[in-house]
Amino acid sequence: MMKLEKKDILGIREMTVDEINLILETAESFLEISTRDIKKVPTLRGKSVINLFYEASTRTRTSFEIAGKRLSADTINISASTSSVVKGETLIDTARNLEAMNPDIIVIRHSAAGAPHLLASLVSQSIINAGDGAHEHPSQALLDMMTIKAKKGKIAGLKVALVGDILHSRVARSNIYGLSKMGAQVVVAGPATMIPRDIERMGVKVYTKLDDAIADADVVMMLRIQLERQKQNIFPSLREYAQHYCLNRNNIKLAKDDVIVMHPGPMNRGVEISPDIADDPNYSVILDQVNNGVAVRMALLYLLSGGNE
Amino acid sequence: MMKLEKKDILGIREMTVDEINLILETAESFLEISTRDIKKVPTLRGKSVINLFYEASTRTRTSFEIAGKRLSADTINISASTSSVVKGETLIDTARNLEAMNPDIIVIRHSAAGAPHLLASLVSQSIINAGDGAHEHPSQALLDMMTIKAKKGKIAGLKVALVGDILHSRVARSNIYGLSKMGAQVVVAGPATMIPRDIERMGVKVYTKLDDAIADADVVMMLRIQLERQKQNIFPSLREYAQHYCLNRNNIKLAKDDVIVMHPGPMNRGVEISPDIADDPNYSVILDQVNNGVAVRMALLYLLSGGNE
Amino acid sequence: MMKLEKKDILGIREMTVDEINLILETAESFLEISTRDIKKVPTLRGKSVINLFYEASTRTRTSFEIAGKRLSADTINISASTSSVVKGETLIDTARNLEAMNPDIIVIRHSAAGAPHLLASLVSQSIINAGDGAHEHPSQALLDMMTIKAKKGKIAGLKVALVGDILHSRVARSNIYGLSKMGAQVVVAGPATMIPRDIERMGVKVYTKLDDAIADADVVMMLRIQLERQKQNIFPSLREYAQHYCLNRNNIKLAKDDVIVMHPGPMNRGVEISPDIADDPNYSVILDQVNNGVAVRMALLYLLSGGNE
């Protein structure tokens, strides 16, 4: 097997197709561990993984923590709300301090785009970006690609529609980089205020209407509306948003018959996705995404720790 | 040894006497582990236990965490204050997401009565109710019964007085179910505004005066006054409450000479219990309750994981 | 090797020179573990360490947690913000409850001076003071002494200058006790409002001017200005403070050529220390302090658990 030649996982933009394939294949081989009676292998015993979360999170932090523990790594959680972040220390000083404690990997989520890259340039440990502002969320895109590949047998040649607040979505950005690299055709739809101006340069096709985007799609990925954006007058009301962009029993029929529906969570049911679609096993692969998420994160921790050496 | 035929521990109401006895006996056999120099057995190695706490807690969460670690399980803590709960995800979606990460047991505390039952009906993992609103707190009642049994040699035939805010107390409710099933005579006392209307149907005798309830009691269990209830005009003032319902050196003499005094904690010293009673080793078994709590939770984790199979 | 005859680590004031030397030598022997590929030894397997933090902390809590995990102890974190502390339980009751769960060591940080001593007198477990009000922070002083010894080969005979808010600094107090015992000459400097009145009785020399204090110093330790003190009118403005007490490229020349610069963190860059000094490897040993901190805490956990027996 190939070795991952990277120190850090900062974004999908910097990844090659070979690297993505290596991570997905490693993750697939780890899937089985979580189904065992004893869900633990000694692979990363004596390694320590710090989860440094400057933004609230359940699923991503828990997913990385479980991934670490299943590989027998020690996991240490630091959340901004109970840390010396409140004392005004700079991110750089926090990072250098953590480095001096000799962890092996630091997983960071931060509201500022580029924060993980700054860390990576300063400390010798491996950094995993668990979401930085509206920039990238590479482990999410990897688990999304893993899910598509598992359900469709391939990624190349598929039509994937991303719907919602593309502008503020790190999930969208990482998926656009990844899916395009892997040969999918990516289209997006959302209110004009939620579409980045230069997005067509990323190779995606832009639609204003949901129906146009999901027509004949193999995969529809609905993005979370961040309710706090409402104050910024980016969209008029949740009700109006839902009227135009909520995936439901009617508009889903425009997609291919075997379309799969994805959502990174947490969902606003009835806003971006109707409950009957979210819960319909014929369409929804949302919980497969979560399940694959643990395997992808195990793969990242493993490969960054020098697995396959 | 018998096997526990339940997927979940939701309440004492649903438990049989045999099940209660099985749990208590298993807990008794685990007590010794916490006194060893190396307080750890490999029983649940590779199992993961998620502590999902929507309400603040020290002792219950810590007790479950220690119980899990002494059995070598991996423990993952999620507290609402630092989780995506703030993002407005429904409890159901949170639960399904956690399920997709393949933990073995989810321990949940929630302010809404019935929340654990909802989870249990939706996910395949075992759910332990660590307190749901004013409904049930089964592990507390089990540790209370374990403590009574250890101190008195039996439960059947004893007179047990519960004093205080019966109406809002999940501890009271679980104990009334459990102690009644086990053959104790349960009496309650408290201000009229703190006694549920239909409580006599549960087989308990109701008194308004503390003195009447604790007369000849073998066990007196004082309940915590939740100070935030004051705003609701349920009781006039702490001082007045204490005047009528605080257990102290004088009124304790009405109980049996060998009476034991219990409290689920955290105590409001001088409100529901006077400090000299709380700290008197002739009466108080409050710290035995805490000690037994770890053993009871070890037993629950063990039995739900298929122990005795 | 000697055995540590203490139950608790409450302060440097109560320590003998032999005890300090024992801890430093043990810590030095543990340094190497954190550089291994597998950073874990089974020494404290089956022991549990509770980190009970009533004040926000990143580095100290993380350092103790990593120290515990590298020795294979189970670590349990309790932070006031998510605990029943909000329910108004007394510290004593919290402590007795934790004691009843049979941990081996409780590490406590509290805003009240003397809180760890109160605990230590009440519970049978070992207590480590991780900072109590403006009183002591012994593990910090130990890691500082370890760092000085490593860089200078000795402590006795050195001139050590502590600069800043001596009055409110538990770091200063613990270091003054420790460094004096170990034979260093300690001098302090800071605004008159930040110097304790009776400090000369502790054997230190007091200066008002930074320049006088650091003249010919072997070690300069800059203390953190707690920005919230400003409200108390203890110092006029950060700008004015920095003008008089910030360590920078100019005034550092007054110290010995091979002076080392220390800071307990988190730093206010540009207030008590200029960034170019903080980051200059010719002067700054700040990250060595952090690195040694893990080793010192491993030593404390090990020695209190009966290591060397």
Side-chain angles (χ1 to χ4, degrees), chain B residues 240-260:
Chain B
E240 201 168 346
Y241 180 87
Q243 226 171 347
H244 292 291
Y245 295 103
C246 184
L247 190 69
N248 59 39
R249 283 243 159 264
N250 290 323
N251 51 32
I252 192 74
K253 287 175 188 150
L254 299 167
K256 289 230 176 90
D257 282 351
D258 61 350
V259 66
I260 58 171

Side-chain angles (χ1 to χ4, degrees), chain B residues 78-92:
Chain B
I78 303 176
S79 74
S81 59
T82 55
S83 81
S84 76
V85 172
V86 298
K87 295 185 187 165
E89 186 177 48
T90 66
L91 174 62
I92 296 175

Side-chain angles (χ1 to χ4, degrees), chain B residues 34 37-40 56-59 61-62 65-66 69-70 79 81 224 266-267 269 279 287 290-291, chain C residues 45-48 74-78 82-87 89 93 96-97 100-104:
Chain B
S34 293
D37 194 41
I38 294 183
K39 304 177 194 61
K40 210 176 176 82
S57 165
T58 301
R59 82 194 59 218
R61 196 268 295 164
T62 304
E65 184 175 353
I66 289 180
K69 288 185 150 88
R70 295 226 165 119
S79 74
S81 59
R224 172 181 173 75
M267 287 188 272
R269 290 168 169 266
D279 299 332
L287 296 177
V290 178
N291 186 246
Chain C
R45 205 175 62 80
K47 304 280 182 187
S48 22
D74 286 322
T75 57
I76 294 108
N77 294 317
I78 302 176
T82 55
S83 80
S84 76
V85 173
V86 298
K87 295 186 187 165
E89 186 178 48
D93 281 333
R96 285 193 176 133
N97 270 280
M101 297 185 199
N102 292 304
D104 294 275

Side-chain angles (χ1 to χ4, degrees), chain A residues 17-71:
Chain A
V17 170
D18 280 351
E19 286 169 340
I20 294 173
N21 278 324
L22 172 63
I23 295 166
L24 298 190
E25 282 156 27
T26 308
E28 285 153 15
S29 76
F30 278 144
L31 257 189
E32 173 265 336
I33 295 173
S34 293
T35 67
R36 291 184 196 173
D37 195 41
I38 294 183
K39 305 176 193 60
K40 211 175 174 81
V41 291
T43 318
L44 297 190
R45 205 175 61 80
K47 304 279 182 187
S48 22
V49 178
I50 293 182
N51 290 318
L52 178 62
F53 275 63
Y54 285 84
E55 290 186 331
S57 163
T58 300
R59 83 195 57 218
T60 306
R61 196 267 296 166
T62 304
S63 185
F64 271 109
E65 184 175 352
I66 288 180
K69 288 185 150 89
R70 295 226 166 118
L71 294 170

